[in-house]
Amino acid sequence: MTSQPNEPEDFAEAAERWDLDRLYADLAAAKEDVGSHPRQGLTSTEKTHLRGLLCGYSPVEMARILHKTPKGLYADLAKTLYRYIEILTGNPFSSWNKIVPGLAEAGYRKLSPRRSQDWNLAPDVSIFYGRTHELALLQQWIVGDRCRLVALLGMGGMGKTALAVRLAQQIAGDFKYIGWRSLSNSPTVPQLLTELLGFYPHTQGNPLDFYPLLNYLQNQRSLIILDGLENLLAPGELAGKYRDGHEEYANLFKQVGTTQHQSCIVITSSEKSREISLLDSLIEPVRCLNLAGLEPDAAVKIIKDRQLLDEHKWDDLIERSSGNPLALKIVCGIIKGVFKGRVGEYFRHKTMFMGMLREVLSSQINRLSDLELQIMYQIAISGEPVDIEQLRQWISASVPMSGIMEILNSLIWRSLIETIGQDDVTLYTIQPMVRKYLINLFSQPDIGKLP
């Protein structure tokens, strides 16, 4: 009688990154401490559940794959593996997604020599300031919570690109493949897919089809960073709409966000796209992080590194730049070069130097629709936060209140206005450097008046 071939194990890819034989043996020993009678090793079901957890699948996802009920699987894990792992590591686990980091810390993850990294034109971030909280949060999202799609959002100069590079370097050991691509040249989806598939050996498939990439994302844990999504979005309209010829990106990101896989795509952008906003509100493995200014200690480090004087005025310098790293570096450079590092002397001239930041803001302001620009200007000249009723008075009566809400939401997606909760009213404001740029822009004789 001929023997039947063994069926492939569920979650077999866990063996690529974990020392399963040693882990099975050590958990079997821990299992003997559970209950009143010793048991003989891990059962095949326990091994399957363990491999699923090590591959990053939640109990709900595992139940679906294994054709079990989530409630039954949760109960089984609580009675078996969770207890063995706690005994083995000496640590209680409050959530299933804490188990993988805990076992990795205990030394069961393999150090794989076969890793492929393609950094392309990623910038050097050997000098990096702050963002400790953001890095920890993003690492939890990607490594702990196994997010599939993460967007880093923020206005120009906030350091989105630098943060993405530092993040990728920090969590590189958790991925077999890492790829970086800039979207500054506005590639079409087929062009991008061709490049992304080039990360992997023995690539087959049509770059017009998402399946080959999704197949790799499912079977080869990969981290892909796409830098500068705003280059693919249409200017002159409300935020989030793709340019002609780039609409298929919406479908690509929907597939990445909703298809079950073990990889992550990180996007940086000064503008949120519509499908990412929708996925962020509906799909747990898709998340957005809006970058605010640097924490005070990191901003102070930038000033110290440039050896500026008048330390008692540094807080004012940080506040005027809103903690924007690029803005702070630019103004520190001018103070160092023109005023010998004297911050007080710079302030005596009662100006806000913008330098190269003007080009960054120009690229964002030039993307606005006419009504967005009108609202931005009205907020700028008001000099203080305003509510929606005040904006209603300044905007043409032909624009309904729902239209004003859409415009405000679009400006929030562009990271150009900020909201403040005051009692039961929401106020809208803009950063000092954006206010100065807009006022200067409309004071030029060739601009003259609003649309």
Side-chain angles (χ1 to χ4, degrees), residues 214-233:
L214 291 172
N215 185 53
Y216 276 114
L217 297 181
Q218 289 173 328
N219 293 293
Q220 307 288 347
R221 183 145 165 80
S222 307
L223 176 65
I224 296 173
I225 304 98
L226 302 178
D227 184 40
L229 182 67
E230 70 275 1
N231 293 287
L232 310 178
L233 301 175

Side-chain angles (χ1 to χ4, degrees), residues 152-263:
L152 305 183
L153 306 169
M155 71 174 298
M158 276 296 176
K160 302 178 293 295
T161 299
L163 177 60
V165 177
R166 178 52 65 96
L167 170 68
Q169 292 173 344
Q170 182 170 301
I171 62 177
D174 198 63
F175 294 89
K176 186 171 183 179
Y177 292 95
I178 298 177
W180 173 283
R181 282 298 178 268
S182 169
L183 302 178
S184 61
N185 61 344
S186 303
T188 63
V189 166
Q191 289 170 334
L192 179 69
L193 289 177
T194 299
E195 287 200 42
L196 295 184
L197 291 174
F199 294 160
Y200 304 100
H202 314 302
T203 298
Q204 295 180 351
N206 184 349
L208 298 176
D209 180 11
F210 299 153
Y211 175 76
L213 176 62
L214 291 172
N215 185 53
Y216 276 114
L217 297 181
Q218 289 173 328
N219 293 293
Q220 307 288 347
R221 183 145 165 80
S222 307
L223 176 65
I224 296 173
I225 304 98
L226 302 178
D227 184 40
L229 182 67
E230 70 275 1
N231 293 287
L232 310 178
L233 301 175
E237 302 189 42
L238 295 184
K241 180 181 178 182
Y242 285 98
R243 294 166 44 188
D244 290 345
H246 295 78
E247 298 89 346
E248 198 61 15
Y249 273 95
N251 290 327
L252 172 61
F253 294 139
K254 285 178 186 176
Q255 289 289 330
V256 169
T258 58
T259 301
Q260 185 172 286
H261 60 80
Q262 60 171 322
S263 300

